[in-house]
Amino acid sequence: MLLLCGSGTAVVVPRLASSAASVRLSAAEVRGRRSAVFSREQARQRSLYPRTEKIEVTLQIPGLQGTLLVMNKGLSTPHSCARHLTEWYVTSSALALVDGKPWSLHQPLTQSCSLSLLTFKDTDPLLVNQAYWRSCAALLGQVLQDAFKEDFSVELLSLPEVLVTSGAFCCDVVLDPQLDAWNPSEESLRSLTRGAQQLIHRDLPWEPLEVAPPVALEVFSHSRCKQKEVEEKSAQSPKGTVILYRCGDHVLLSGGPLVARTGLCSQYEVTAIHPLGEGKWGLHRRAQGLSLPLQQQAHHTVWRKLRSRAEKLVEVPTGSTNEAISDTLTLPSAPEQTPPHTPQQ
Amino acid sequence: MRLTIQMLISHGRVARKMGLGPESRINMLRNILTGLVRHERIETTRGRADEVRFYAEKLIDYAKKGDTDEKAMKMANFWLTEKDLIPKLFKVLAPRFETQPKAYTRMARIPNRENLDKAAMAVLEYKGNPFPPLQTAKRDNELTLINQLLKGYREQRAQQAAAKVEA
């Protein structure tokens, strides 16, 4: 895919964050292993329901209030509930609300509940917007992991929770030390964008899986910083579990629910990669991008203005990983802070 | 005259015929205009509403000159058949549109009349009337993704402008 080489030296650099692995694995092999562990765990969780038990799902959709669907326990997802309705519900719904809690469209339902499907054009699309922003950042991380050659390691740090009003979604990444002097040119940003567009075209679903911390640690056994992130997330979550998402053959962590499929994005551009300075794992970089969904496309004049804003560095308030963000966001050129934005849950 | 097909096709003739002739047309328009000034929102056929619009706006332009103006008073006197509306025109309608240069009226089409003729109807009103709005401007929800991005963009521009003013 991407062909770039900053220095072109043939120095063997020890892999960034491998603690137990003494064998140097290629990125593709690591991905394959993670995907295999994910599939294994997914099959195991599905086998917990050997006999099909039925659950009753009440729909809370405008126009279909109170409709009762009889679905399978542990197997049916909100996506399958939507398929019982019309095609429009399948294509337009991005997130589901199960008993008032945000729920990924492809996560199986485990008990009788009330379901409502959220789209981008609701009266209150705050949850959907935030989930979309997170999904675009996850996609960016996936593109960055795929983009570089096998010799260069790419370490994805956590996806910071950014408000939609800040103008761009971010993905913190640490590249191989050989690439410390590399700065992305317009050509490389454009080829990253093309990679993202290819993923969008393939319309891959984001499959969620709720796992116990040991399994998650096994998935990320080759990456020390990911393991730390798993520990942090499991400490924060009320049940002690961690939700993993798989898209294609990439497994990733996220701070909250993601939207249903990559095909929901239509306009997607990687706008900039800013160096943040030396951090714990090396030179931290922030990759930023801008995206709009299929139902909310912008005219090219509007898109150009938003894109020029997305190229500027977005500052992230430290220590905000929950969904209920109430911190202020400081923009680089602003003398005063923007007012706090509290989305409803 | 020759009864040709060209008589049936207008071939660019834009002047509308109403009533029995040009004088009848002006009288009809005068009546409709008087009704508009009295009630500020009226319902007529589409063709008549479209014709009256021009005269309604010209009348406001004359009224803006003030009631001491000779020509303005003559115009108002001619066009308003009910003479108690002349003070209303100069004292209520003209000051209302002081800041606007043009476009004092709004026309909205409504379903056809229920009578046998099924005429295409329209509602004509002066802007700023005390009635509830005819059609609310369909604004996309403020909280959608694209509107939130644009809101952030506008705020940033405002802050940059403020910073420039300070510096």
Side-chain angles (χ1 to χ4, degrees):
Chain A
M1 259 209 203
L2 189 65
L3 53 117
L4 57 91
C5 190
S7 48
T9 49
V11 175
V12 172
V13 176
R15 198 171 177 82
L16 250 184
S18 63
S19 50
S22 51
V23 181
R24 195 192 156 98
L25 288 172
S26 72
E29 281 173 22
V30 171
R31 258 183 281 140
R33 284 196 188 187
R34 285 184 186 173
S35 186
V37 177
F38 189 95
S39 310
R40 203 180 62 209
E41 177 63 20
Q42 205 176 37
R44 185 198 72 88
Q45 284 194 6
R46 215 167 279 172
S47 66
L48 289 175
Y49 305 96
R51 289 163 61 235
T52 33
E53 291 167 34
K54 294 291 183 185
I55 50 171
E56 290 176 353
V57 177
T58 347
L59 290 181
Q60 303 285 338
I61 298 169
L64 293 167
Q65 291 278 351
T67 313
L68 197 69
L69 291 174
V70 178
M71 313 296 293
N72 297 328
K73 184 172 176 171
L75 201 64
S76 307
T77 61
H79 177 78
S80 42
C81 294
R83 283 176 71 190
H84 277 287
L85 307 169
T86 60
E87 196 189 336
W88 183 81
Y89 287 102
V90 174
T91 42
S92 73
S93 39
L95 204 60
L97 270 184
V98 168
D99 288 337
K101 283 184 303 198
W103 199 272
S104 294
L105 264 195
H106 292 283
Q107 195 167 355
L109 300 163
T110 45
Q111 54 188 14
S112 300
C113 52
S114 73
L115 175 75
S116 64
L117 298 168
L118 305 177
T119 68
F120 288 104
K121 293 193 175 175
D122 296 338
T123 36
D124 189 12
L126 287 167
L127 277 174
V128 183
N129 291 348
Q130 210 54 42
Y132 182 74
W133 226 229
R134 248 179 265 126
S135 325
C136 291
L139 196 70
L140 182 55
Q142 190 171 340
V143 167
L144 284 168
Q145 278 190 313
D146 271 339
F148 293 87
K149 273 185 175 175
E150 289 290 329
D151 314 329
F152 305 104
S153 66
V154 178
E155 208 47 75
L156 276 190
L157 304 176
S158 66
L159 305 171
E161 282 286 325
V162 193
L163 280 185
V164 173
T165 38
S166 58
F169 49 83
C170 324
C171 177
D172 286 346
V173 69
V174 174
L175 301 173
D176 203 278
Q178 289 173 24
L179 294 171
D180 269 358
W182 172 72
N183 271 320
S185 63
E186 237 190 80
E187 286 293 320
S188 29
L189 288 177
R190 242 177 253 151
S191 57
L192 285 170
T193 304
R194 227 177 315 141
Q197 292 285 355
Q198 280 173 1
L199 276 175
I200 290 170
H201 184 74
R202 280 163 65 188
D203 201 11
L204 303 163
W206 265 294
E207 302 158 27
L209 194 67
E210 197 169 339
V211 295
V215 182
L217 289 170
E218 194 197 330
V219 167
F220 295 114
S221 52
H222 295 282
S223 162
R224 188 70 212 122
C225 77
K226 278 287 186 193
Q227 284 179 332
K228 273 224 164 114
E229 212 190 311
V230 164
E231 280 152 26
E232 274 173 40
K233 285 225 157 72
S234 59
Q236 276 170 0
S237 87
K239 285 192 283 186
T241 52
V242 171
I243 305 191
L244 299 174
Y245 289 88
R246 177 169 69 170
C247 177
D249 57 352
H250 279 84
V251 180
L252 39 99
L253 275 171
S254 178
L258 300 182
V259 288
R261 327 176 300 276
T262 53
L264 279 175
C265 327
S266 80
Q267 290 168 307
Y268 193 106
E269 267 192 58
V270 181
T271 45
I273 303 183
H274 293 286
L276 288 178
E278 282 295 323
K280 221 162 84 169
W281 310 96
L283 178 64
H284 287 217
R285 287 180 201 255
R286 180 162 289 156
Q288 287 176 199
L290 181 65
S291 172
L292 280 171
L294 207 56
Q295 292 101 0
Q296 304 242 305
Q297 295 181 10
H299 193 253
H300 65 88
T301 46
V302 173
W303 177 258
R304 215 172 287 156
K305 291 185 185 165
L306 292 174
R307 196 190 182 287
S308 60
R309 185 183 174 218
E311 280 167 12
K312 303 189 189 121
L313 179 66
V314 167
E315 311 258 338
V316 169
T318 45
S320 64
T321 41
N322 337 339
E323 271 195 59
I325 296 176
S326 52
D327 298 78
T328 53
L329 203 65
T330 41
L331 300 168
S333 55
E336 74 238 62
Q337 290 176 334
T338 49
H341 196 84
T342 38
Q344 294 126 11
Q345 277 256 335
Chain B
M1 51 180 159
R2 297 194 76 183
L3 299 169
T4 54
I5 295 179
Q6 276 157 352
M7 265 173 52
L8 301 169
I9 305 172
S10 78
H11 279 294
R13 283 178 272 172
V14 294
R16 258 196 206 93
K17 290 185 202 171
M18 269 161 57
L20 309 164
E23 203 178 316
S24 163
R25 171 178 164 273
I26 292 285
N27 289 334
M28 275 173 78
L29 292 175
R30 214 179 358 177
N31 289 332
I32 299 171
L33 187 51
T34 307
L36 178 65
V37 170
R38 179 178 287 289
H39 299 109
E40 294 188 33
R41 182 187 279 181
I42 56 170
E43 186 184 305
T44 56
T45 61
R46 234 170 255 175
R48 289 175 199 169
D50 196 46
E51 286 284 292
V52 167
R53 259 192 119 171
F54 170 80
Y55 292 98
E57 301 197 346
K58 272 279 181 291
L59 188 67
I60 297 288
D61 285 331
Y62 270 108
K64 276 186 180 177
K65 293 184 183 175
D67 55 2
T68 43
D69 192 66
E70 198 42 70
K71 182 76 195 246
M73 191 45 87
K74 275 171 130 180
M75 276 290 173
N77 187 36
F78 173 78
W79 280 98
L80 298 170
T81 53
E82 289 155 25
K83 304 303 169 187
D84 55 324
L85 295 174
I86 300 179
K88 179 182 174 184
L89 175 71
F90 285 105
K91 296 211 171 82
V92 173
L93 291 180
R96 191 196 286 178
F97 300 117
E98 247 175 58
T99 47
Q100 290 174 35
K102 43 185 180 174
Y104 315 114
T105 57
R106 192 182 286 127
M107 188 170 108
R109 300 189 299 182
I110 52 183
N112 291 357
R113 201 160 34 191
E114 292 305 312
N115 295 356
L116 183 65
D117 65 357
K118 298 286 182 215
M121 300 293 279
V123 165
L124 188 63
E125 62 168 11
Y126 274 122
K127 288 184 188 171
N129 63 68
F131 306 117
L134 272 178
Q135 274 165 327
T136 43
K138 266 191 269 184
R139 280 247 115 108
D140 215 6
N141 189 6
E142 168 72 38
L143 299 168
T144 55
L145 189 68
I146 189 168
N147 283 344
Q148 288 280 288
L149 285 170
L150 286 171
K151 183 177 133 188
Y153 175 80
R154 260 181 256 129
E155 277 172 4
Q156 197 190 41
R157 290 275 291 221
Q159 279 162 354
Q160 278 173 343
K164 254 196 208 161
V165 166
E166 277 175 35

